[in-house]
Amino acid sequence: MIDPAQILIDAVSVGGLYALTALGIGLIFSVMRLANFAHAELVTVAAYMLFAFSGSPVAVAILVAIAAAVLLALATERIAFRPLRGADSATLLISSFAVSMFLQKLLVFLVGSRPKALDPLPALSRTVSIGSLQVSALKLVTIVVCLTLLAALTAFLKWTRFGLQMRASAENFTMSRLLGVRANAVIAIAFGLSGLLAAVVAVLFAAQSGFVQPRFGVQIVIIAFVATVIGGLGNLFGAAVGGFFVGVVTILLQAFLPAELRPFREAFLFVIVIAILLFRPQGLFPARNLKERV
Amino acid sequence: MAASISDRIGWRPAARDGLRRLVPLAALVGIVLTIVLLAGMGDIVLQRRVIFCLIHVVAVVGLYIFMGNSGVMNFSSAGFMAVGAYTSALLTMAPGMKSTFLPDLPAWLAAAHLSPLWGALAGGVMAGLMALVIGIPIMRLSGIGAAIATLSLMFICYIVLGNWTALTGGQQSLMGLPSYVGLWTAGLTAMVAIAVAFVYQETRGALALRGSREDEVAARGSGVRIVRERLAAFVVSGFVTGIAGVLYGHFLGTLRVESFYLDLTFLLVTMLVVGGMRSLAGAVIGAIGISILTELLRLVEVGFVLPGTSWSIATPPGLGDVALAAAMLLIILFRPQGLTGGHEIELPRSKTSTSGLATTSGNTGTANV
């Protein structure tokens, strides 16, 4: 018999990673209507940095990874997305697709496509017992880190000057510019934050999977896309909830689907996405002002 | 004065109209025919490269039929190609082959042994049916919603085909497809695909669909039934894309689900966007242009000697893919309408004739004004 508490811990730790990734994508979508597929490569590059600095102290490696992801996020914004600001979301999506492919092929070219083993958080590879439960320390830390970051991000958006500007831009970009919000600054901060989130996801995800290859970030970002759509594109609260929702659904499908259908579990996830797009095209928590007025 | 007004509104006297309307079609068929004839004189390696290019032409034309006319993103081509390819493979493979590679097939399917033509048509029809069934609900979506729904559709195809081991062999390659696709098969199919796309885009429905591409609300206000027109385009597009998949399978002789995934999706969308997604000429030129670029980059990777000198040039492997993605990015940034800018290939406009405005093509005013 599967222990419900065990399932809950699995679901929250998986969902937390999806939620952080979905938030990174959602932050950027809310300020510039860009569904950033290249978020995957932010995660991948951060993971490669962990690999490159695996000889150094853990803190150093993590800081380098964060710095690399933030810089890469800012660079992609400046080079590829700023010239397209104001273009329709389809053009932006194709452009982010191109950025993603470019970085992925560049990684294959530079480091090869063979997986590299890494263990960024060796201290956490043991289990902790809580009552009768055996839980891996890594899962607990993942949950704690995700919840802390969610709280910190909420606080940033609610109580700081830039957070306020970002929320204003998400609501009505033109209006907030007219009221003195500097577009470049807000967008740069959004990209920087998404880089930070990507790096954190990279650390936790690499610790779980134990290896990195050029497509490392793609899988998790695809699932996070699903989460943002389910939660409501452009709504950060929705993105976080969507992330946890997808985590729970994945774990439940994994646990309760008959064995012969289990390989198809992600297909069910995508069917849910299409269904949600059909019945609630704006997601479960629609963002305000997303629909263009005529 | 009268001439300038008729010029402005794109009205043309019928007598001058007839043959000129066919120029864009004739030009594209001519390009493909030239390529086939030239390749016929080359060696077998060149011919194989050209066949591959022509298969991509079919696939990109298929993608264009929906995405170009409707302006709605579609990332599901790879899925339609996979469905077409596997359908035709299962229906045309020799029963002995099937019992070796796919022992768990249902009996009627294991015994099926159609001729290549019927198998190919079945592949196209299957893909078209899938487009019909899935299109009925999802054609209501536009913009980012449509992009994500079609991307999800592609993932679903990939996951289902990749895990339905009894039917597809799962993650293993399916071998032993009759490989009947040669230069002329691919060339003729490409020409037919171009003709289908051209005839479709001249229909009233396609015109209405292009209207909805320019302004969804205004088109709906003018009585265009957007969902129905999109669905028609999606089904035709699915059929042609499925046929491209059939060619792909019967050219290589083996199928892997892995081939119909993100890389192929990205390649096809790149070809269409680089050529210019608003015209049929863009689809064909994009597919051919990117294929040539890929070949040149491959040559550079292998290494070659500069003519007339003793310098040889060789770049490390993998650089070609990087350059391809970079080319895609540069085109989007600096020429978002693609190489053709959304124009069809037309005769140059003379002073007496007024039909130079490319109103028969995919572009109406907004892009150029």
Side-chain angles (χ1 to χ4, degrees):
Chain A
M1 190 54 218
I2 317 159
D3 191 336
Q6 186 71 51
I7 292 184
L8 184 72
I9 288 177
D10 284 352
V12 176
S13 73
V14 171
L17 281 185
Y18 292 152
L20 289 186
T21 319
L23 271 177
I25 295 167
L27 268 175
I28 290 173
F29 190 86
S30 64
V31 293
M32 66 180 291
R33 299 286 173 263
L34 159 69
N36 189 11
F37 210 81
H39 196 77
E41 277 60 41
L42 301 182
V43 178
T44 313
V45 166
Y48 269 110
M49 283 300 156
L50 289 175
F51 172 73
F53 284 78
S54 51
S56 320
V58 176
V60 174
I62 292 177
L63 283 179
V64 170
I66 290 175
V70 169
L71 285 178
L72 185 63
L74 293 174
T76 53
E77 191 274 326
R78 183 67 194 84
I79 296 166
F81 300 129
R82 191 174 293 181
L84 293 175
R85 210 175 281 168
D88 61 315
S89 59
T91 312
L92 283 167
L93 180 69
I94 293 185
S95 162
S96 79
F97 228 135
V99 172
S100 162
M101 277 294 158
F102 175 73
L103 292 173
Q104 212 180 95
K105 302 297 183 194
L106 195 62
L107 280 172
V108 173
F109 176 63
L110 292 176
V111 295
S113 53
R114 210 171 302 151
K116 309 236 189 273
L118 80 170
D119 187 11
L121 303 169
L124 298 179
S125 56
R126 55 201 173 82
T127 54
V128 183
S129 43
I130 308 171
S132 62
L133 226 55
Q134 291 287 319
V135 188
S136 95
L138 181 59
K139 277 183 185 155
L140 287 182
V141 169
T142 305
I143 293 174
V144 171
V145 169
C146 291
L147 294 180
T148 316
L149 264 179
L150 284 179
L153 196 65
T154 313
F156 170 81
L157 287 171
K158 247 198 157 95
W159 291 309
T160 66
R161 179 196 168 89
F162 282 118
L164 179 68
Q165 295 189 351
M166 205 170 280
R167 280 186 294 143
S169 315
E171 196 126 318
N172 189 333
F173 199 76
T174 320
M175 188 51 147
S176 58
R177 284 189 76 176
L178 288 174
L179 293 174
V181 171
R182 278 186 291 165
N184 286 347
V186 165
I187 289 180
I189 289 173
F191 269 89
L193 278 176
S194 89
L196 171 72
L197 291 171
V200 173
V201 169
V203 175
L204 296 170
F205 190 44
Q208 275 181 21
S209 64
F211 67 92
V212 52
Q213 35 92 8
R215 287 209 162 166
F216 180 76
V218 173
Q219 190 64 23
I220 197 165
V221 162
I222 286 171
I223 305 283
F225 251 96
V226 168
T228 45
V229 173
I230 290 177
L233 267 169
N235 180 329
L236 295 181
F237 172 72
V241 174
F244 282 110
F245 175 79
V246 170
V248 171
V249 170
T250 319
I251 297 294
L252 288 182
L253 287 174
Q254 169 85 349
F256 295 111
L257 220 53
E260 65 270 22
L261 285 180
R262 215 165 280 165
F264 298 101
R265 67 175 187 281
E266 286 183 338
F268 287 100
L269 210 54
F270 289 112
V271 171
I272 294 176
V273 174
I274 294 183
I276 285 186
L277 281 170
L278 292 175
F279 295 108
R280 291 199 63 126
Q282 310 295 325
L284 297 179
F285 305 94
R288 271 174 290 176
N289 284 341
L290 195 63
K291 203 170 169 79
E292 212 175 306
R293 293 215 196 116
V294 185
Chain B
M1 195 60 206
S4 78
I5 288 173
S6 69
D7 193 19
R8 221 175 295 153
I9 62 174
W11 174 81
R12 285 156 302 172
R16 284 190 220 141
D17 218 36
L19 282 177
R20 263 184 182 268
R21 277 180 75 169
L22 294 176
V23 168
L25 173 64
L28 294 176
V29 169
I31 290 176
V32 172
L33 191 63
T34 315
I35 290 176
V36 172
L37 288 175
L38 284 178
M41 293 185 280
D43 60 4
I44 189 77
V45 179
L46 178 77
Q47 288 192 6
R48 286 186 68 85
R49 300 260 192 267
V50 170
I51 293 170
F52 216 59
C53 163
L54 292 168
I55 293 171
H56 283 106
V57 169
V58 178
V60 178
V61 166
L63 180 62
Y64 159 80
I65 292 173
F66 175 71
M67 194 161 133
N69 286 302
S70 70
V72 177
M73 288 292 110
N74 176 12
F75 288 114
S76 56
S77 305
F80 286 103
M81 281 182 74
V83 168
Y86 276 99
T87 306
S88 172
L90 290 176
L91 292 174
T92 58
M93 276 169 71
M97 280 288 188
K98 275 191 273 193
S99 60
T100 318
F101 289 110
L102 303 168
D104 300 328
L105 274 187
W108 63 273
L109 199 54
H113 194 193
L114 296 184
S115 70
L117 183 63
W118 287 111
L121 284 176
V125 167
M126 192 59 124
L129 270 180
M130 182 168 96
L132 180 68
V133 171
I134 294 168
I136 289 173
I138 72 173
M139 285 299 110
R140 287 188 284 136
L141 301 170
S142 306
I144 198 85
I148 290 176
T150 50
L151 200 58
S152 304
L153 175 58
M154 192 273 289
F155 288 133
I156 292 173
C157 288
Y158 172 75
I159 295 165
V160 169
L161 290 176
N163 289 293
W164 199 344
T165 313
L167 203 64
T168 65
Q171 297 300 321
Q172 281 160 1
S173 306
L174 179 60
M175 283 175 275
L177 280 73
S179 38
Y180 59 77
V181 174
L183 191 56
W184 280 101
T185 327
L188 286 174
T189 315
M191 288 182 236
V192 172
I194 290 169
V196 167
F198 183 77
V199 169
Y200 169 73
Q201 77 177 13
E202 293 288 297
T203 60
R204 187 188 171 86
L207 189 61
L209 191 58
R210 288 201 294 279
S212 79
R213 176 186 74 187
E214 302 306 329
D215 192 329
E216 207 173 315
V217 176
R220 190 168 281 134
S222 317
V224 173
R225 290 160 77 177
I226 296 179
V227 174
R228 200 181 64 172
E229 302 303 351
R230 277 186 190 165
L231 186 61
F234 198 55
V235 172
V236 179
S237 163
F239 178 83
V240 174
T241 314
I243 294 285
V246 173
L247 292 182
Y248 189 92
H250 290 283
F251 170 59
L252 293 179
T254 60
L255 282 178
R256 281 175 64 234
V257 180
E258 204 63 42
S259 337
F260 303 99
Y261 197 42
L262 279 170
D263 279 358
L264 181 63
T265 307
F266 176 72
L267 180 65
L268 296 178
V269 173
T270 304
M271 287 174 162
L272 185 55
V273 172
V274 165
M277 66 178 248
R278 298 163 66 94
S279 71
L280 180 56
V284 175
I285 290 172
I288 296 174
I290 293 284
S291 298
I292 293 176
L293 182 63
T294 314
E295 282 314 311
L296 289 180
L297 292 169
R298 201 200 310 255
L299 274 183
V300 174
E301 253 173 40
V302 174
F304 67 97
V305 180
L306 272 186
T309 66
S310 56
W311 298 341
S312 79
I313 295 181
T315 57
L319 197 64
D321 287 335
V322 180
L324 197 62
M328 165 78 175
L329 196 54
L330 291 177
I331 292 271
I332 288 181
L333 289 178
F334 297 110
R335 207 176 154 86
Q337 295 293 321
L339 294 175
T340 59
H343 295 277
E344 299 292 2
I345 302 171
E346 309 243 10
L347 294 180
R349 181 153 53 138
S350 66
K351 285 218 171 96
T352 52
S353 164
T354 58
S355 57
L357 277 179
T359 40
T360 48
S361 72
N363 74 309
T364 42
T366 45
N368 309 311
V369 173

